[in-house]
């Protein structure tokens, strides 16, 4: 069993997600505490940075920040030979307004699209489109697993790159049980440079694909994907301010077509429990062939801020046990219980950041420390958008259907 090591997790010069300026450090220990508790990143003999960026949220002196990539994106925009495509992740839609004086939990999606167009975007797309694709893949994997009696461990989600780093570093024996589905941002990159490029007759080599994310870990994750840059919500806010764009004057704008539609399930990917709820909706359909009932549309047991949530769901006579975990300290506890036979699940969702991506390391620092009231404020509009959506399950997304049909 791993035990905590009382060592600060080093931020090396080649860290792709965060950077450390020693001159600004006041040696308060806030980052060390964050690594030891929330991130559990120094479980085991060697401390390992899992890139979650929670240290950038708690550092009071800006000694630790995300690695800035928005300046490179600006250069790409000024290159007339490049087509710059932006993709907005769901958790950013409910946080960015905080940087411009909007109340916590305001959904400012339309203004973000408008701001990106003013900054020079050629296209602006919704990452929730690819969240629907990730759900379909993960649900198919789970449905397949449920048919097998011989599976030793549950299916773990794969969309949180810090969790994937963590499991690879500290529980490598569980790697085969992590879903093969790519994260929404990685999937989006592939679709943009294939399907989207083809539909618009664009040479994929000219596309610079940028994700606007709540996450610093995605900066590491994209190294082997078709996404060229990840900029955090904070970077985008900094860029908007530097360019003198008046946020209050922005008129809400729409996404570009083809990849601008998402189901309610794709929207709630941004918060803890959202992946489980989204996958449950599609698994229900895959196992029964029936339209979802209210019980599965609002999966209350997966919601809320408890660090470990568990539930059993009966689908087509099969009892499915799920665990929803956020915070790597909680993940450590659940994983150890599974390994030592104290708990058994079919599906385990893990998000490294408390609250899920809405509490990500690249989110605004307008309320420090980030507390659960702020996290709940950011979650509420995502559930509202889901409950208002006409289509609430990923398999119903018409843009996904059109892509799969080759239309
Ligand atoms: Fe990134 Fe979300 Fe994971 Fe946090 S929970 S590390 S924001 S993917």
């Amino acid at each position: 069993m791993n035990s905590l090591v009382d060592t600060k997790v080093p931020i090396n010069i080649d860290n792709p997600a965060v950077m450390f300026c020693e001159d600004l450090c006041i040696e308060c220990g806030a980052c060390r505490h964050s690594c030891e508790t929330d991130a559990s990143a120094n479980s085991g003999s060697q401390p390992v940075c899992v890139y979650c960026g929670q240290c950038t949220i708690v550092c009071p002196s800006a000694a630790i920040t995300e690695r800035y990539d928005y300046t490179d994106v600006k250069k790409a925009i000024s290159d007339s030979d490049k087509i710059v495509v932006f993709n907005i992740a769901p958790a950013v839609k409910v946080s960015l307004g905080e940087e411009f004086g909007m109340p916590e939990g305001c959904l400012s999606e339309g203004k973000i699209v408008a701001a990106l167009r003013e900054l020079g975007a050629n296209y602006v797309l919704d990452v929730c489109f690819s969240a629907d694709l990730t759900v379909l893949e993960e649900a198919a994997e789970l449905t397949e697993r449920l048919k097998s009696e011989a599976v030793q461990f549950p299916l773990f989600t794969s969309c949180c790159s810090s969790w994937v780093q963590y499991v690879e570093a500290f529980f490598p024996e569980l790697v085969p049980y992590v879903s093969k589905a790519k994260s929404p941002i990685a999937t989006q990159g592939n679709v943009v440079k294939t399907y989207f490029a083809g539909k618009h007759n664009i040479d994929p080599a000219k596309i610079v694909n940028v994700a606007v994310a709540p996450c610093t870990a995605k900066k590491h994750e994209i190294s082997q994907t078709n996404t060229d840059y990840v900029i955090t919500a904070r970077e985008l806010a900094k860029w908007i301010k530097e360019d003198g764009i008046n946020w209050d004057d922005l008129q809400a704008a729409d996404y570009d077509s083809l990849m601008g539609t998402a189901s309610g399930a794709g929207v709630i990917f941004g918060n803890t429990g959202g992946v489980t709820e989204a996958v449950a909706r599609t698994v229900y359909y895959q196992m029964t062939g029936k339209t979802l009932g209210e019980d599965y549309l609002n999966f209350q047991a997966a919601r809320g801020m408890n660090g470990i949530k568990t539930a059993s769901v009966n689908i087509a006579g099969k009892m499915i046990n799920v665990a929803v975990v956020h915070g790597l300290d909680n993940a450590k506890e659940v994983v150890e219980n599974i390994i030592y036979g104290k708990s058994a699940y079919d599906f385990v969702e893990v998000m490294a950041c408390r609250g899920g991506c809405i509490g990500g390391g690249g989110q605004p620092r307008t309320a420090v420390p980030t507390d659960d009231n702020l996290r709940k404020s950011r979650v509420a509009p995502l559930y509202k958008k889901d409950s208002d959506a006409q289509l609430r399950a990923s398999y119903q997304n018409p843009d996904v259907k059109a892509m799969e049909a080759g239309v």
Side-chain angles (χ1 to χ4, degrees):
M1 186 180 296
N2 296 321
S3 58
L4 289 177
V5 179
D6 187 20
T7 310
K8 180 176 175 176
V9 176
I11 298 173
N12 297 329
I13 192 92
D14 59 351
N15 188 308
V18 294
M19 51 191 186
F20 174 56
C21 173
E22 199 162 357
D23 291 347
L24 294 175
C25 177
I26 56 171
E27 299 192 2
C28 66
C31 55
R32 178 188 185 131
H33 180 72
S34 166
C35 286
E36 279 178 0
T37 52
D38 305 338
S40 287
N42 51 3
S43 309
S45 56
Q46 280 295 322
V48 175
C49 176
V50 295
Y51 311 126
C52 69
Q54 288 300 315
C55 50
T56 70
I57 296 281
V58 298
C59 175
S61 65
I64 309 177
T65 65
E66 65 268 70
R67 191 163 283 285
Y68 292 124
D69 290 307
Y70 75 99
T71 45
D72 285 345
V73 178
K74 282 176 87 161
K75 282 186 204 142
I77 284 176
S78 61
D79 182 343
S80 58
D81 205 34
K82 299 289 182 198
I83 305 287
V84 183
V85 181
F86 285 87
N87 307 272
I88 305 172
V92 174
K93 303 171 189 176
V94 292
S95 69
L96 198 76
E98 293 164 25
E99 290 270 3
F100 301 95
M102 292 174 83
E104 292 170 358
C106 260
L107 185 69
S108 57
E109 191 168 13
K111 276 185 180 277
I112 301 172
V113 175
L116 288 168
R117 292 205 197 286
E118 282 214 21
L119 291 171
N122 294 101
Y123 296 97
V124 184
L125 304 173
D126 189 353
V127 169
C128 294
F129 169 87
S130 288
D132 277 331
L133 291 173
T134 299
V135 171
L136 293 179
E137 211 175 321
E138 223 153 47
E141 239 178 302
L142 179 58
T143 302
E144 194 55 38
R145 287 277 199 108
L146 292 170
K147 292 179 191 157
S148 167
E149 300 296 325
V151 179
Q152 187 187 0
F153 290 122
L155 179 68
F156 293 93
T157 54
S158 57
C159 45
C160 171
S161 29
S162 284
W163 153 245
V164 173
Q165 287 296 302
Y166 180 79
V167 84
E168 286 175 354
F170 301 119
F171 297 98
E173 68 274 32
L174 293 183
V175 169
Y177 300 92
V178 175
S179 167
K180 305 290 177 287
K182 290 191 168 28
S183 75
I185 282 177
T187 300
Q188 185 95 349
N190 288 339
V191 179
V192 164
K193 291 207 179 170
T194 53
Y195 171 71
F196 187 84
K199 284 283 179 188
H200 284 281
N201 267 327
I202 303 170
D203 175 1
K206 291 189 172 186
I207 293 180
V208 176
N209 194 44
V210 184
V212 184
C215 181
T216 51
K218 296 287 171 201
K219 288 177 181 281
H220 168 260
E221 184 196 89
I222 59 162
S223 59
Q224 290 171 348
T225 73
N226 272 322
T227 299
D228 300 293
Y229 296 101
V230 165
I231 63 170
T232 63
R234 286 196 304 267
E235 282 180 272
L236 178 57
K238 191 167 159 36
W239 182 6
I240 291 170
K241 289 170 190 171
E242 281 175 5
D243 274 31
I245 291 173
N246 188 329
W247 179 264
D248 293 336
D249 288 348
L250 290 170
Q251 297 298 314
D254 287 332
Y255 291 107
D256 286 288
S257 57
L258 288 179
M259 295 168 66
T261 307
S263 75
V267 172
I268 54 175
F269 238 73
N271 53 262
T272 170
V275 179
T276 301
E277 192 161 340
V279 167
R281 291 176 188 178
T282 291
V283 167
Y284 180 83
Y285 176 74
Q286 287 174 346
M287 290 181 71
T288 66
K290 291 183 188 158
T291 311
L292 300 149
E294 275 298 314
D295 290 355
Y296 293 101
L297 282 175
N298 298 306
F299 190 1
Q300 296 299 343
R303 298 185 178 190
M305 292 306 295
N306 285 343
I308 301 171
K309 294 165 276 187
T310 59
S312 298
V313 195
N314 188 330
I315 301 182
K318 175 111 186 157
M319 197 56 85
I320 302 167
N321 297 310
V322 302
V324 175
V325 190
H326 51 126
L328 289 177
D329 50 345
N330 294 317
K332 184 171 184 280
E333 183 184 328
V334 168
V335 163
E336 286 177 348
N337 282 340
I338 291 169
I339 288 175
Y340 293 105
K342 294 183 189 165
S343 335
Y345 304 104
D346 298 294
F347 184 79
V348 178
E349 171 194 316
V350 185
M351 294 291 161
C353 300
R354 183 158 176 80
C357 301
I358 53 93
Q363 291 283 60
R365 277 169 45 100
T366 37
V368 178
T370 306
D371 63 15
D372 279 356
N373 285 332
L374 173 59
R375 295 185 183 98
K376 285 181 200 164
S377 302
R378 290 175 180 166
V379 170
L382 295 180
Y383 280 129
K384 171 85 170 58
K385 194 167 161 61
D386 169 39
S387 64
D388 288 348
Q390 281 195 324
L391 303 174
R392 303 206 38 205
S394 302
Y395 63 87
Q396 298 169 322
N397 184 325
D399 279 2
V400 168
K401 283 185 188 173
M403 184 182 79
E404 289 178 340
V407 177

